[in-house]
Amino acid sequence: MSSVPARGPARAAEVAREAAILAGAGAAILLQVADRRVGAGVAAHSRFTEDPLRRLRHTLGYVYAVALPEAAPARDAVVGMVQAQHARVRGVDGGGRPYSADDPDAQLWVAATLFWAGEQVRRRIWGVLDPEDAERLLREYAVLATALGVPTGAWPADRAAFTAYWDRAVAALEVTDDARAIAADLFSGQGLPAPLRAALPLARFVTAGMLPPRVRGGLGWSWTGRDSRREARLWALVRAVYPRLPRRVRGAVAAWTVRGLPTSS
């Protein structure tokens, strides 16, 4: 086994390659759909129950295509596919309010959740980055938003600006019936192979521990002091084991996904 990295991944591409970052996927998805515009669009135009891995596969493909140098040949094709899909996602939610997947503010929120969730996992495993690396990592993540047309200036300029944006956005979230139904579908296990179904209770627990209390409560999920202690023990185990795995193992999901990406003609 390889030695433990001194500081862990500090660049966006390095973070994206780590399979452990997928531990934040559930929290990212549920935060996304807690935005009523995203939640309404996913509820009306996505199929979580029929193909529960579909959104994750598409999200991973997009992240890898824009963040990893080795996926650069696929970037234009993948971004074009996402833009075409977004163009079809528009309508009116249950409250009579319009939504559109092309809304730059909604796209900014989705990109912000990906950065935030990745940071939650990275920090739990490797600890806090030094200020210079932390600021650079935030700047590098901007491409997740700007590749889809979010104005460059809309991405928070530094960590303080991101924290201010994040706090405002979380305070404005609406955990609607759509969001609760999506959460139920996400962890229902329907359509998943048996090994993944067996892992769902753990995935739900990890997701619950990451979610802001306001969102967790809106979903009707409980969280106690005992849960916090169990979560701390779980991440202590991950910190002891995961960084010692060979890099090829930690990067296997990214490598496999990149091989399957379409390339521009």
Side-chain angles (χ1 to χ4, degrees):
M1 291 192 177
S2 62
S3 60
V4 180
R7 62 173 182 174
R11 304 298 297 262
E14 295 172 350
V15 173
R17 288 192 190 97
E18 295 287 350
I21 298 302
L22 294 177
I29 291 172
L30 295 184
L31 282 163
Q32 289 166 19
V33 300
D35 180 297
R36 64 96 186 162
R37 299 164 298 183
V38 180
V42 170
H45 299 273
S46 187
R47 295 180 303 212
F48 265 87
T49 303
E50 295 177 25
D51 189 355
L53 296 178
R54 182 171 180 268
R55 185 177 179 86
L56 177 60
R57 289 198 306 268
H58 286 181
T59 300
L60 287 178
Y62 175 72
V63 170
Y64 295 151
V66 301
L68 300 185
E70 61 268 32
R75 179 173 181 176
D76 289 346
V78 171
V79 170
M81 289 171 58
V82 173
Q83 289 174 332
Q85 292 164 357
H86 283 180
R88 298 191 294 269
V89 179
R90 59 184 68 249
V92 178
D93 68 14
R97 297 168 294 184
Y99 64 84
S100 169
D102 288 329
D103 182 340
D105 289 338
Q107 290 179 349
L108 175 62
W109 172 243
V110 169
T113 66
L114 296 175
F115 170 74
W116 180 88
E119 263 295 270
Q120 291 295 303
V121 177
R122 197 209 59 76
R123 179 176 56 79
R124 282 166 164 81
I125 298 176
W126 287 282
V128 178
L129 286 171
D130 65 57
E132 182 178 348
D133 284 341
E135 295 294 349
R136 183 181 60 201
L137 184 62
L138 174 70
R139 292 193 301 270
E140 290 179 350
Y141 260 83
V143 69
L144 296 181
T146 58
L148 290 178
V150 175
T152 302
W155 186 255
D158 53 33
R159 288 289 182 123
F162 183 86
T163 298
Y165 163 78
W166 183 262
D167 290 345
R168 289 194 305 271
V170 169
L173 293 176
E174 304 174 37
V175 182
T176 62
D177 288 343
D178 282 339
R180 283 184 282 272
I182 291 166
D185 284 347
L186 186 62
F187 293 102
S188 70
Q190 185 173 344
L192 289 176
L196 291 181
R197 284 200 306 273
L200 280 178
L202 177 60
R204 187 185 184 280
F205 176 75
V206 170
T207 297
M210 286 190 192
L211 286 174
R214 182 173 179 275
V215 176
R216 189 169 57 219
L219 291 170
W221 292 6
S222 63
W223 189 260
T224 66
R226 181 183 179 190
D227 290 324
S228 293
R229 293 188 293 273
R230 290 171 58 209
E231 183 193 31
R233 290 194 296 271
L234 173 62
W235 284 109
L237 176 61
V238 174
R239 280 195 300 276
V241 174
Y242 178 82
R244 293 178 169 84
L245 296 176
R247 290 186 183 276
R248 67 179 182 277
V249 174
R250 289 158 37 196
V253 174
W256 177 80
T257 304
V258 169
R259 285 197 297 271
L261 292 177
T263 56
S264 303
S265 57

